[in-house]
Amino acid sequence: MTKRKPGKFSATKAVKANARELVGQPKPARIVEDTPRTGRRAKHKPKLEQIIQQEE
């Protein structure tokens, strides 16, 4: 079997690895949605007839 070639040196990866050793792993980020999801009906505008019926 042939020996594996060492990977290409990346200064960015080296700096990040050094920072992880000193500071520690960052906490995982979570996306928080401000607006709650609405149902499928909210994707379409109501028809004029429906708006008139709701007012009555």
Side-chain angles (χ1 to χ4, degrees), residues 8-26:
K8 184 178 175 185
F9 178 76
S10 172
T12 306
K13 289 184 180 180
V15 168
K16 287 184 178 184
N18 189 25
R20 273 190 229 103
E21 289 176 7
L22 297 175
V23 179
Q25 284 278 52

Side-chain angles (χ1 to χ4, degrees), residues 4-55:
R4 290 183 81 181
K5 289 175 82 174
K8 184 178 175 185
F9 178 76
S10 172
T12 306
K13 289 184 180 180
V15 168
K16 287 184 178 184
N18 189 25
R20 273 190 229 103
E21 289 176 7
L22 297 175
V23 179
Q25 284 278 52
K27 293 181 180 178
R30 282 184 57 191
I31 299 172
V32 179
E33 294 184 16
D34 294 338
T35 56
R37 290 185 179 185
T38 57
R40 191 170 193 158
R41 287 181 252 144
K43 292 184 181 179
H44 303 287
K45 291 183 179 180
K47 295 181 181 179
L48 183 61
E49 296 172 358
Q50 293 173 347
I51 296 172
I52 293 172
Q53 289 177 356
Q54 285 179 354
E55 290 178 0

